[in-house]
Amino acid sequence: MSMPYYVSPEQVIADKAEFASKGIKRGRSVIVQSCSDGILFVADNPSRALHKVGEIYDRIGFAAVGKYNEFESLRVAGVRLADMRGYSYDRADVTVRTIANAYAQTLGSIFIDAAKPYEVEIAVAEVGFDVDHDQLYRISFDGSVHDQAGFICMGGDSESMSASISEQFRIDHSVSEALKIAIRVLRGDAPHDDLEMAFLDRSRPRRTFVRFDQSHIADLVK
Amino acid sequence: MNSQSSFAEYLASIKSGIAQPVFGSHGGSEIDAPHGTTIVAVRYNKGVIMAGDRRATTGNIIAQRDMQKVYPTDEFSVVGIAGTAGLAIELVKLFQVELEHYEKIEGTSLSLDGKANRLSSLLRGNLGMAMQGLAVMPLLAGFDSARSVGRIFSYDVTGGRYEEHDFYAVGSGAHFARGSLKKLSSIIQEQDDAITVAIEALYDAADDDSATGGPDVNRGIYPLVYSVDKSGVVEMDAPRIEALSRKMLQRRSVNPNGGTSTAGISGDRS
């Protein structure tokens, strides 16, 4: 029987991390931003059918960057978990923390156990009844969770985008101001008709998630 | 159907103790559980309305006076329930999650026929209970966006699904309500006509069926009415239903049996 080559655990993890973050850095970006009217999701996504942003539950939204098939299966799992909890307990008992924890567990064990880690980074956000109670979580490919205040940038070039958003970001911005910032950071002055946008509308009862179509976006950025 | 988009199939597959609905057969004698009574649905020119009385009964006892028996199940459909209340409410809850789950997973909502079929298979799961006397009788009404019309679907306990034409009623007072609807439905055009006719039909059901509750002026309890049209499901506000109910009661104080000729129903159009 031949002996397998010994590779140190440090090396394995470093290799997996490098592999996953490379895949994510190649991807297009997503911005999640809290504002006075709710939480805005803007994704650089030329496809109108394959979404990067989705609804999880009444007040919870999802956004992802990386490999579509991988984050789509995570999104479906999130919807299932949320619907299951809401059905078993009550709609009020579905919280973003539960969802974020489940994602962290799943991504963490995939990172360690699977031959290939998921090349994804995801954000889940819950819109509160006021802006101080908004919750935004970013979950990395290795299962690490970051509870972020105000906004999240993910995907290629996320550091420089984060820097330029933090210069302009204010928690009391309206949705149209927040949208203008996101467009400026992602596109500059170039046309923005290939951005996917959705919103958790603080004022809506029950299901707060709405997708913005191009005509609505044009109204908001006027 | 892609099983990934069905919540009910997912639920059945994981067999979690806390979440299992009781659908399925069990032994033992018949249970005396509360029953919901009469639900009516009526089409009008722009959509469909559904109304239900508010009474639940356990044998000869009134179990509840202000029960909700009509539920919005998504943006474009409502379900009214008659029969064993506990199971019916559970069925509606599962149906609501089923529709929302599909919508979130697939990114688009089911067609109205698709919704009607899903309700059919959920109902079929209750056949064992129905054979022990715990039947659930739902009535589905919705707006078909593809055809731009309101539609009504009735069901039998085996999950059989039947599309109705202009009106339908289910529950213990349904025979009387249907008789009333049959005579009045020809005058329906606008939404107000449909609501008035539905309220008249529920009154006729309550008049002859002891399990159906009439308008309770003293407690301010009136039928619960939802409309579905191209802009979605709307619950009719209570003052409007109260006003229409009081007018109907006035007409009935002159002519206890009701009727179109003396009713002046079209005079209620606002």
Side-chain angles (χ1 to χ4, degrees):
Chain A
M1 199 180 119
S2 66
M3 288 286 285
Y5 289 109
Y6 174 76
V7 186
S8 75
E10 287 93 342
Q11 189 60 47
V12 173
I13 288 182
D15 284 354
K16 281 185 172 179
E18 194 195 333
F19 170 81
S21 56
K22 242 191 214 163
I24 293 161
K25 285 275 177 275
R26 272 200 303 272
R28 294 157 182 267
S29 309
V30 170
I31 295 174
V32 184
Q33 240 188 118
S34 197
C35 65
S36 65
D37 301 320
I39 295 176
L40 179 71
F41 298 81
V42 183
D44 188 349
N45 182 7
S47 169
R48 301 210 169 189
L50 306 175
H51 296 300
K52 288 182 154 186
V53 176
E55 173 185 14
I56 297 282
Y57 210 63
D58 290 355
R59 306 188 75 82
I60 303 171
F62 170 98
V65 294
K67 279 196 80 165
Y68 177 79
N69 67 321
E70 293 175 347
F71 68 68
E72 176 64 9
S73 74
L74 290 170
R75 185 186 71 85
V76 168
V79 170
R80 275 188 169 174
L81 175 66
D83 279 345
M84 191 67 208
R85 281 187 74 93
Y87 178 74
S88 326
Y89 304 118
D90 186 76
R91 296 192 84 85
D93 298 312
V94 180
T95 63
V96 70
R97 208 165 49 86
T98 314
I99 308 285
N101 276 331
Y103 280 144
Q105 296 292 330
T106 306
L107 282 170
S109 53
I110 288 170
F111 183 74
I112 296 299
D113 300 336
K116 182 196 95 65
Y118 272 17
E119 298 159 72
V120 295
E121 188 162 18
I122 59 183
V124 280
E126 177 173 330
V127 65
F129 289 97
D130 57 58
V131 74
D132 297 331
H133 291 89
D134 283 355
Q135 294 180 61
L136 289 81
Y137 294 92
R138 183 164 61 84
I139 301 118
S140 301
F141 55 83
D142 60 353
S144 56
V145 190
H146 310 269
D147 175 2
Q148 290 189 251
F151 67 91
I152 293 174
C153 282
M154 302 184 300
D157 207 20
S158 59
E159 287 88 5
S160 69
M161 286 196 327
S162 268
S164 65
I165 287 191
S166 63
E167 283 168 21
Q168 306 170 57
F169 176 81
R170 273 180 44 198
I171 201 83
D172 57 355
H173 272 154
S174 70
V175 60
S176 85
E177 285 165 313
L179 188 57
K180 283 176 196 160
I181 292 174
I183 290 173
R184 214 157 38 228
V185 169
L186 284 168
R187 280 286 177 274
D189 295 325
H192 52 263
D193 53 359
D194 56 350
L195 294 179
E196 178 190 351
M197 305 191 198
F199 189 54
L200 293 171
D201 187 340
R202 204 184 300 286
S203 63
R204 277 168 71 104
R206 212 165 137 133
R207 289 170 75 185
T208 60
F209 186 87
V210 278
R211 289 192 186 281
F212 285 171
D213 56 19
Q214 287 302 325
S215 65
H216 193 161
I217 292 164
D219 283 347
L220 284 171
V221 296
K222 224 178 256 171
Chain B
M1 178 182 230
N2 178 1
S3 68
Q4 182 177 265
S5 31
S6 170
F7 180 76
E9 282 170 29
Y10 171 62
L11 194 60
S13 73
I14 58 169
K15 305 249 186 288
S16 145
I18 43 167
Q20 274 303 297
V22 290
F23 305 144
S25 70
H26 76 105
S29 58
E30 213 167 277
I31 302 167
D32 206 7
H35 274 61
T37 48
T38 309
I39 305 291
V40 301
V42 185
R43 294 198 331 157
Y44 65 99
N45 57 5
K46 296 194 182 70
V48 58
I49 66 134
M50 187 179 281
D53 77 308
R54 308 294 292 273
R55 183 171 289 178
T57 56
T58 308
N60 64 317
I61 302 296
I62 293 172
Q64 205 177 2
R65 295 179 203 285
D66 61 348
M67 189 184 163
Q68 178 178 4
K69 293 189 281 190
V70 182
Y71 293 88
T73 40
D74 69 356
E75 219 184 324
F76 292 102
S77 66
V78 290
V79 169
I81 46 163
T84 314
L87 295 179
I89 291 167
E90 186 66 23
L91 178 78
V92 168
K93 195 175 141 191
L94 185 59
F95 185 56
Q96 285 169 329
V97 180
E98 179 80 3
L99 297 185
E100 183 185 326
H101 193 75
Y102 182 94
E103 203 181 308
K104 288 192 288 198
I105 301 284
E106 299 291 326
T108 174
S109 31
L110 273 169
S111 64
L112 187 58
D113 285 294
K115 293 173 200 174
N117 284 335
R118 281 315 290 160
L119 185 55
S120 214
S121 46
L122 295 184
L123 189 61
R124 197 166 294 127
N126 191 49
L127 185 57
M129 300 293 273
M131 288 172 76
Q132 292 172 61
L134 300 176
V136 175
M137 300 292 284
L139 183 63
L140 172 71
F143 187 76
D144 189 331
S145 307
R147 292 201 223 159
S148 232
V149 289
R151 296 169 70 190
I152 300 168
F153 297 90
S154 70
Y155 293 87
D156 65 32
V157 288
T158 63
R161 166 208 131 171
Y162 311 93
E163 179 157 10
E164 304 298 338
H165 290 283
D166 293 327
F167 57 84
Y168 202 69
V170 294
S172 61
H175 292 106
F176 309 112
R178 284 213 290 269
S180 177
L181 290 167
K182 188 160 79 179
K183 302 297 177 197
L184 297 177
S185 67
S186 62
I187 64 156
I188 298 171
Q189 293 204 357
E190 303 297 322
Q191 190 186 62
D192 258 7
D193 305 335
I195 297 173
T196 300
V197 166
I199 289 172
E200 290 268 349
L202 286 175
Y203 186 88
D204 284 318
D207 208 18
D208 288 310
D209 170 37
S210 60
T212 302
D216 188 340
V217 181
N218 297 335
R219 293 191 180 82
I221 298 169
Y222 297 97
L224 202 60
V225 187
Y226 282 87
S227 81
V228 197
D229 60 16
K230 71 170 192 292
S231 56
V233 174
V234 182
E235 184 186 347
M236 300 291 107
D237 52 329
R240 182 173 170 199
I241 301 305
E242 176 170 357
L244 289 171
S245 297
R246 281 178 181 275
K247 272 188 194 165
M248 185 266 303
L249 289 173
Q250 269 168 18
R251 289 194 299 272
R252 293 290 176 124
S253 70
V254 180
N255 182 2
N257 295 332
T260 40
S261 54
T262 50
I265 286 170
S266 50
D268 282 339
R269 282 186 203 168
S270 52

